[in-house]
Amino acid sequence: MNASAHPHPAAPGARPEPRRSMVVCGVLGVAAMAALDEIVFHQILHWHHFYDRSTPGMGLMSDGLLHTGELLGLVAGFFLYADLRRRGALAPAHAWAGFFLGLGIFQLYDGIVDHKLLRLHQVRYGVDVTPYDWAWNLAGLALLLTGVVLAVRAPRSNRTPNRSGGRDRGSGSGRAGSAS
């Protein structure tokens, strides 16, 4: 590739964008968990469809709509992620926090709202769903709490030691206050 293929190189003084990094990777987390749910539980195990309160054809169509939404989320998320990287604005610790928050939010929303409140589907049919519900929601809670812990720790990850041994909110160069 020649240099003209990349007309906008990352600016040397680019600043990380923590909030945008978290939101973009949150979208990727939601889409990734939707993909995992749809592939494993809908297609491979055949435990349920996204909407099970109608005909099998309607259930299959609802799975297709879920798959469309997850693919749009993945494509949009990866384009936005690539933009953050290209501009040197990705804040990795915030990105990981957002990704785990997205995973957990999808899992808990699906387990509480879709399964219990709206009753669109259950995790599995023909068995006592209680252990499945507990496992589903505890897994979602664990993912969400992982995201929360990472989000709380993320601002500290941007700090770098300065020459006097203290901490500085630098760009990662380790040279606080230097002009060169």
Side-chain angles (χ1 to χ4, degrees):
M1 283 190 153
N2 61 24
S4 65
H6 302 287
H8 304 289
R15 309 261 318 154
E17 296 181 27
R19 178 174 287 167
R20 185 172 171 97
S21 296
M22 191 177 288
V23 169
V24 165
C25 289
V27 169
L28 286 170
V30 167
M33 187 54 76
L36 181 70
D37 176 25
E38 204 258 327
I39 292 166
V40 173
F41 297 101
H42 298 216
Q43 294 177 11
I44 295 173
L45 296 175
H46 297 269
W47 281 5
H48 61 259
H49 293 292
F50 180 70
Y51 183 71
D52 274 337
R53 299 180 70 182
S54 187
T55 65
M58 184 60 73
L60 192 57
M61 185 182 81
S62 69
D63 286 347
L65 293 173
L66 174 63
H67 187 60
T68 300
E70 104 207 2
L71 281 175
L72 289 172
L74 285 170
V75 170
F78 278 121
F79 271 100
L80 293 169
Y81 178 83
D83 177 61
L84 283 169
R85 294 242 344 179
R86 178 188 58 81
R87 294 185 296 110
L90 181 68
H94 289 85
W96 279 110
F99 184 72
F100 276 95
L101 287 169
L103 294 172
I105 287 168
F106 177 87
Q107 189 78 358
L108 283 175
Y109 182 88
D110 188 41
I112 295 169
V113 176
D114 291 346
H115 295 179
K116 297 302 165 199
L117 297 177
L118 298 177
R119 298 190 136 331
L120 297 178
H121 62 266
Q122 294 299 317
V123 176
R124 192 170 183 189
Y125 293 98
V127 297
D128 177 17
V129 297
T130 305
Y132 292 95
D133 286 338
W134 277 102
W136 194 270
N137 290 322
L138 287 175
L141 184 61
L143 291 166
L144 185 69
L145 290 176
T146 299
V148 168
V149 168
L150 291 173
V152 168
R153 291 181 176 176
R156 289 181 278 189
S157 72
N158 287 339
R159 296 181 188 155
T160 57
N162 63 24
R163 288 186 179 171
S164 64
R167 302 294 282 179
D168 180 46
R169 303 247 336 145
S171 63
S173 67
R175 297 182 297 166
S178 66
S180 56

